Amino acid sequence: MDFTDPFSQTLGVVHFSPGRYFILSAVKDRLVVRRSDQEGVAQTWQVDCSPSATTAALFKGTAKPPPSDGWITHAAWSPDSEYILAVVAKRGVVNVFSMRDEKWTARIEAGVEGLTRAEWAPDSRSIICFSEWGLRVTVWSLSSATATYIQFPKYPDKGYAFRKDGRYFVLAERHKSKDMLGVYDCPSGYKLVRHFALPTTSLASIALSPTGNHVAVWEAASEFKVAIVNLVGQHLATFTPNEETLLGVRQVIWHPSGEYLIIGGWDSKVYILSNLEWRLVATIQLTAKLPIGTVQWREPLNWLSNTRNRGFLPFTKTVASNSTPLVISISKPPAIAPTILVANASPNPKSGVTSMEFSASGTLLLATWEQCPTLAFIYHFPPPEEPFIPQLRTIIQCTQPISQAKMSYEPTISGTTVALCTGTGAVYLWNDDRELNEDGERGELTECVAIPTEKKFACKDVRWSPDGKGLLLMDKDAFCAAFEVENEQETY
């Protein structure tokens, strides 16, 4: 794996372009675009962070705002990689730049409603702006310089989705103290085509299926209830666990095929629903014992200091021959990370699934649990030709709590790769199809790779490139990129 030098960034604003050939970053009020395949800066812009007229009028006569109010809070590539938007939320402005024409710019100024975030629509020529206080969503068209307004979104940072083909925009709304779902036709200027009440009292969020036919909606944390509706407004089913739960839903994702809905709560279970009858077909439960055949990978102790932050080592591999209990060890890391006892009376117990991601093929499910902060779990999710029995396949154990665990969006050079970080100067990689020896034997492998930087670098986040061949490694004020080597001689 090859690494770039570390570069400065602020507020975590760093993104690969949709084609992976460029890396966009923000440093205070400046945008920087770098080529991912060579050194040097390809493009840079100074963002006009002067406040909008309304923002200037509202804060006239008040104390001078700090310089950080003029920093870029969010930036994003258009889906076709031709345009870049930069949001300065506290100043209520969005600046737009063109990769083809350096002199072309556009500027969007929010009114008295304010601005919290902005992002691209799938057509790459419209920008969706979310106001403060949930007042409205504004769709700005760069082609016609017109705006379309949608009133009363439920949330500014969740509860909305575009269908995969870009035809419909689905938005959770709140009208007259009722949860509603609005379906808008994007090619027709975001014309409202459906508007219906949802079977929820306090909607937490929504998840649109990959097929675009169904929407999962669920209640806030006080009640475990997930409802499935279609875009016409039909209420197809409602799921609640048979056993009583004191808290509600924490994570909901769809299988890439759209055939299964995966629901994780604040307990130690993940529920799997089939779209045939929307019934429960399997349950994944975090238990204190490992099933026979589970592969366990453990990070070597003190390997970073032993290699002077320049090495790479494979994890220690063991296979469960019989059920092994989770144990706590003070003198050395336990065979399996310790389990934290769940206090159900606590409003936010340290329990439940914290993240879930599928591989591109849908045959692997990556999950992390609050009770086991140093562990990442990889489950085998059967393909259609196999009996549907999801099973725990692999456990990856780090010595420090895992801050991020991400599955590659697309198959990597060889197989599927999981990247993890723990806030140290290393990144951890699991792959299910690596060459294990000179005889050509292939199988899964987990490695710890030191990030080769001169200054101290604590990796707190990992972000995959769209093609699965590159990684962004994020520190608080810096980032670097890492890329797989496409020949037999791999370097680290």
Side-chain angles (χ1 to χ4, degrees):
M1 179 164 279
D2 285 337
F3 292 84
T4 67
D5 293 331
F7 304 106
S8 298
Q9 56 86 12
T10 51
L11 303 179
V13 182
V14 185
H15 304 285
F16 275 110
S17 65
R20 199 267 287 175
Y21 296 108
F22 296 98
I23 299 174
L24 169 68
S25 62
V27 182
K28 296 182 179 180
D29 60 350
R30 179 174 292 276
L31 285 176
V32 180
V33 176
R34 292 179 171 88
R35 290 283 302 238
S36 62
D37 57 350
Q38 61 187 33
E39 296 183 0
V41 174
Q43 206 91 290
T44 183
W45 296 276
Q46 188 83 27
V47 172
D48 180 5
C49 57
S50 59
S52 65
T54 303
T55 302
L58 287 174
F59 292 96
K60 186 177 181 180
T62 61
K64 185 178 180 180
S68 60
D69 280 6
W71 292 2
I72 298 167
T73 55
H74 176 66
W77 293 91
S78 63
D80 63 2
S81 300
E82 290 194 15
Y83 295 93
I84 297 170
L85 66 78
V87 181
V88 184
K90 293 185 178 180
R91 300 289 173 87
V93 296
V94 181
N95 290 270
V96 188
F97 303 94
S98 171
M99 286 293 291
R100 293 182 179 272
D101 185 355
E102 295 184 24
K103 297 182 179 180
W104 183 94
T105 61
R107 179 177 162 98
I108 297 171
E109 296 188 358
V112 70
E113 75 276 7
L115 177 69
T116 58
R117 61 181 285 112
E119 64 179 65
W120 288 100
D123 65 355
S124 299
R125 298 298 180 269
S126 300
I127 296 175
I128 316 294
C129 296
F130 292 84
S131 71
E132 294 179 327
W133 320 115
L135 294 178
R136 70 185 183 190
V137 174
T138 306
V139 184
W140 293 92
S141 172
L142 297 181
S143 302
S144 60
T146 58
T148 302
Y149 302 100
I150 303 173
Q151 301 296 327
F152 310 123
K154 178 80 174 182
Y155 299 105
D157 57 348
K158 60 182 179 179
Y160 63 93
F162 285 95
R163 205 169 76 169
K164 203 170 184 179
D165 60 3
R167 176 66 187 272
Y168 295 115
F169 176 58
V170 181
L171 178 68
E173 303 170 10
R174 188 75 173 175
H175 290 268
K176 297 180 180 179
S177 300
K178 292 183 179 180
D179 292 330
M180 309 287 290
L181 195 70
V183 182
Y184 299 87
D185 191 331
C186 301
S188 300
Y190 291 82
K191 179 182 177 181
L192 180 65
V193 293
R194 288 288 188 276
H195 200 245
F196 51 89
L198 293 173
T200 56
T201 56
S202 181
L203 177 73
S205 191
I206 70 171
L208 181 63
S209 72
T211 60
N213 298 326
H214 305 107
V215 183
V217 300
W218 59 96
E219 293 281 7
S222 59
E223 182 180 2
F224 201 119
K225 176 184 175 182
V226 180
I228 297 94
V229 299
N230 59 23
L231 295 188
V232 179
Q234 293 177 315
H235 180 193
L236 303 177
T238 297
F239 171 75
T240 55
N242 293 329
E243 64 274 14
E244 183 179 354
T245 57
L246 295 181
L247 287 176
V249 177
R250 187 168 185 177
Q251 296 281 334
V252 176
I253 63 170
W254 288 91
H255 187 269
S257 67
E259 296 179 359
Y260 301 101
L261 182 66
I262 320 300
I263 304 167
W266 293 85
D267 54 8
S268 299
K269 293 182 179 180
V270 169
Y271 304 93
I272 303 173
L273 307 185
S274 169
N275 70 349
L276 295 180
E277 298 179 353
W278 300 112
R279 62 183 180 87
L280 183 67
V281 293
T283 302
I284 296 174
Q285 184 165 3
L286 179 65
T287 61
K289 295 183 179 180
L290 290 179
I292 295 175
T294 302
V295 178
Q296 175 192 345
W297 296 95
R298 289 183 295 174
E299 180 184 356
L301 289 176
N302 303 320
W303 71 273
L304 265 177
S305 58
N306 292 339
T307 61
R308 299 182 180 180
N309 297 335
R310 292 285 178 178
F312 67 95
L313 288 175
F315 274 47
T316 303
K317 178 183 178 181
T318 57
V319 180
S321 58
N322 48 49
S323 296
T324 305
L326 294 170
V327 295
I328 296 176
S329 176
I330 298 176
S331 60
K332 60 180 181 179
I336 303 296
T339 299
I340 300 172
L341 295 178
V342 177
N344 286 328
S346 173
N348 290 304
K350 294 287 186 178
S351 63
V353 62
T354 54
S355 67
M356 295 189 294
E357 284 188 6
F358 273 105
S359 62
S361 63
T363 58
L364 297 174
L365 174 65
L366 170 68
T368 56
W369 301 79
E370 190 86 64
Q371 295 98 313
C372 303
T374 61
L375 293 182
F377 295 74
I378 300 174
Y379 297 89
H380 172 66
F381 215 83
E385 61 272 12
E386 296 180 11
F388 189 77
I389 307 176
Q391 294 181 336
L392 179 61
R393 168 178 171 164
T394 300
I395 289 179
I396 304 170
Q397 180 181 352
C398 299
T399 56
Q400 299 295 323
I402 296 170
S403 54
Q404 286 290 345
K406 296 288 182 68
M407 188 89 73
S408 57
Y409 301 131
E410 295 291 338
T412 48
I413 292 175
S414 177
T416 299
T417 304
V418 173
L420 307 97
C421 63
T422 61
T424 62
V427 61
Y428 306 94
L429 302 174
W430 174 89
N431 186 278
D432 65 346
D433 186 27
R434 288 290 300 273
E435 186 172 318
L436 304 179
N437 51 45
E438 296 179 356
D439 297 332
E441 180 185 356
R442 306 191 73 85
E444 68 174 81
L445 181 66
T446 306
E447 295 175 298
C448 36
V449 183
I451 302 171
T453 58
E454 296 298 330
K455 296 182 179 180
K456 184 177 180 181
F457 190 96
C459 184
K460 297 179 173 61
D461 190 13
V462 291
R463 302 173 186 177
W464 282 101
S465 64
D467 62 357
K469 294 181 175 62
L471 273 171
L472 290 175
L473 310 177
M474 305 293 298
D475 197 352
K476 181 180 178 181
D477 299 313
F479 78 95
C480 69
F483 300 95
E484 286 195 74
V485 179
E486 301 191 35
N487 54 40
E488 297 181 357
Q489 294 293 328
E490 293 193 22
T491 60
Y492 292 85

